[in-house]
Amino acid sequence: MADDTYSPNAQGNTQGSDIGWADTVRFRLPAGWAVDVEEHEGQAVSTFRPPPPAAGVLRLVTDRVTPRPDSGGTAATLQEMALRFVRPQDQRAGDRMVESRADGAVIAQAMMRTEEDGRAETHYLWLVGAERADAAGSVAAVAMFSFALPDLMDGDESCAEMLGRIDDAIRNAEIL
């Protein structure tokens, strides 16, 4: 569920909004984005839409995964999740990348061209995950983002600028 932490930053700057979701992630979106929650397959999905005339929708889901006893631990579970996230066998996916941040978090990124309800779309995908402790012990806490954009808009200068801001916000997301 949403944490209801949609607000200007602590300095009162309204150039963006601090977003908290499911007690798992906190990040900062540019100003003016519409925030909503949808349900997909029984799971709450946070959605963010840029102000008009910009196109696209950013979706966010989170998860906390307890490593299996034979998995090699939380770090190995995070690495496995990141590698699966970039869909190495899916020919629709490209521009795959998995790296570690200085704070130990893992970032996975990919781009995928799809057709949704007869519309060609480009999906930019990010997973940000980190090892965290909870009542069950060590868990892999992850935030998975998807920005869907009409394929005909992909490559447009204004969309490229917006994607840069989204990428920066996600890469700097705090895993709680």
Side-chain angles (χ1 to χ4, degrees):
M1 289 293 144
D3 293 340
D4 295 326
T5 55
Y6 313 113
S7 62
N9 68 11
Q11 292 78 30
N13 183 345
T14 57
Q15 294 299 315
S17 296
D18 293 326
I19 308 294
W21 180 250
D23 294 328
T24 300
V25 65
R26 189 175 11 238
F27 62 104
R28 184 163 187 72
L29 271 181
W33 285 57
V35 178
D36 201 1
V37 177
E38 300 173 349
E39 188 173 312
H40 291 279
E41 299 176 4
Q43 183 172 3
V45 177
S46 186
T47 62
F48 309 92
R49 296 181 194 281
V57 59
L58 178 66
R59 291 184 173 87
L60 166 65
V61 296
T62 61
D63 201 2
R64 289 185 177 274
V65 177
T66 301
R68 296 181 321 273
D70 63 346
S71 69
T74 306
T77 297
L78 267 173
Q79 190 68 19
E80 179 184 342
M81 291 173 75
L83 291 173
R84 273 200 234 153
F85 184 81
V86 297
R87 304 173 186 228
Q89 275 60 10
D90 193 331
Q91 294 183 6
R92 300 171 302 161
D95 296 335
R96 298 172 181 95
M97 180 268 318
V98 175
E99 62 187 29
S100 295
R101 287 194 320 201
D103 66 358
V106 173
I107 297 177
Q109 187 174 354
M111 185 271 300
M112 181 177 290
R113 298 201 187 279
T114 66
E115 193 164 306
E116 302 289 329
D117 301 323
R119 297 179 319 270
E121 291 185 344
T122 303
H123 291 249
Y124 292 88
L125 309 168
W126 297 263
L127 175 145
V128 181
E131 185 173 342
R132 295 295 181 253
D134 73 3
S138 181
V139 297
V142 296
M144 295 162 282
F145 298 86
S146 169
F147 185 71
L149 182 66
D151 199 47
L152 61 99
M153 298 293 296
D154 190 37
D156 178 83
E157 188 175 317
S158 66
C159 290
E161 183 181 327
M162 179 175 51
L163 277 168
R165 288 192 309 265
I166 294 168
D167 184 67
D168 186 54
I170 293 169
R171 287 180 165 281
N172 290 302
E174 179 186 5
I175 300 299
L176 307 173

